[in-house]
Amino acid sequence: GNRVVAQAPSSGMALILLSEGALSTEGLLELLEGVLEDNGPMLVAARAEQEEREASRRIREEQERDFALALQEDQRKEKEKQEELERKLREREEEELSRKKVEEKTQAVLSRRRERAEAIPEEPEPGEDGVSKVLIRFPDGSRVTRRFYDKERVKVIYNFVDSLESNTCYDYKLVSNFPRKVFDESTFEQTLAEAGLSRQAMLFLQSED
């Protein structure tokens, strides 16, 4: 017998028809037309089902892709949110640390001020011999003048500056401009005369806080 195969490519289905004897071209065409006429609705339904499956697959893939993108976006936003939270936390910690440092410095200045105020000798009277007049200038432009005996130590000037309410610096140095000289701890035991601060001197407070 002869075997005739009719296949619907999109559905993957195939119809197989067996016939006896030789077929002419016209006979073969008539046979195929009959097969298609008899099985057309089934082939259409199969094709529609296949197309529906394809559409469902595409929708599913799009949904999965959209979900992956949405998840990625959510993760990015969550990461940014976490980084912003950590940044604010660091800022608060730094502010708190800075505030504590300021408080500690303020308390240290106040404590030192009270202590130094008790260690300052009496100020010499105007016109006494062996007296130096020292002007202290602060970073804000304010100034204070005080008399000291030439025989007193440089440390006494620091004690005086430490006792002043106008001095809010904890770490500082006293310097002169002409000539340029820094009066630091190495000069504390020198007398004012030895340090070149006799008679009259101007010192600038140089903050190192």
Side-chain angles (χ1 to χ4, degrees), residues 68-80:
L69 291 174
L71 180 61
Q72 184 179 3
E73 180 65 12
D74 288 344
Q75 290 173 339
R76 184 188 66 79
K77 289 181 178 179
E78 183 63 26
K79 182 181 179 183
E80 289 181 353

Side-chain angles (χ1 to χ4, degrees), residues 30-89:
E30 289 180 4
L31 184 61
L32 289 175
E33 288 175 357
V35 169
L36 292 176
E37 184 177 347
D38 293 340
N39 296 279
M42 182 184 67
L43 292 174
V44 170
R47 180 178 299 172
E49 181 181 351
Q50 178 68 17
E51 290 176 350
E52 185 177 349
R53 283 198 298 269
E54 280 294 316
S56 297
R57 181 185 62 78
R58 286 194 298 270
I59 292 173
R60 187 171 58 254
E61 289 177 351
E62 289 176 0
Q63 289 174 338
E64 290 174 352
R65 184 172 62 252
D66 291 344
F67 175 78
L69 291 174
L71 180 61
Q72 184 179 3
E73 180 65 12
D74 288 344
Q75 290 173 339
R76 184 188 66 79
K77 289 181 178 179
E78 183 63 26
K79 182 181 179 183
E80 289 181 353
K81 183 179 177 181
Q82 184 64 27
E83 289 175 349
E84 178 68 11
L85 186 64
E86 292 174 357
R87 184 186 65 79
K88 289 183 178 179
L89 182 60

Side-chain angles (χ1 to χ4, degrees), residues 112-160:
R112 185 181 65 182
R113 184 179 297 162
R114 289 190 294 269
E115 179 184 335
R116 296 292 192 265
E118 300 173 358
I120 302 171
E122 290 292 326
E123 183 176 12
E125 294 294 330
E128 284 191 55
D129 292 334
V131 171
S132 296
K133 186 177 181 181
V134 180
L135 183 147
I136 312 294
R137 186 167 182 177
F138 294 91
D140 63 0
S142 62
R143 57 185 65 192
V144 175
T145 302
R146 212 242 193 209
R147 294 181 298 276
F148 299 91
Y149 288 110
D150 289 346
K151 63 183 179 181
E152 289 178 319
R153 310 288 177 181
V154 171
K155 175 64 175 173
V156 174
I157 300 179
Y158 271 85
N159 289 344
F160 169 70

Side-chain angles (χ1 to χ4, degrees), residues 4-8 13-17 35-36 38-40 42-43:
V4 178
V5 179
Q7 185 170 7
M13 295 180 60
L15 296 176
I16 301 176
L17 177 66
V35 169
L36 292 176
D38 293 340
N39 296 279
M42 182 184 67
L43 292 174

Side-chain angles (χ1 to χ4, degrees), residues 17-31:
L17 177 66
L18 295 175
S19 67
E20 296 293 335
L23 287 175
S24 64
T25 302
E26 292 80 2
L28 178 60
L29 290 175
E30 289 180 4
L31 184 61

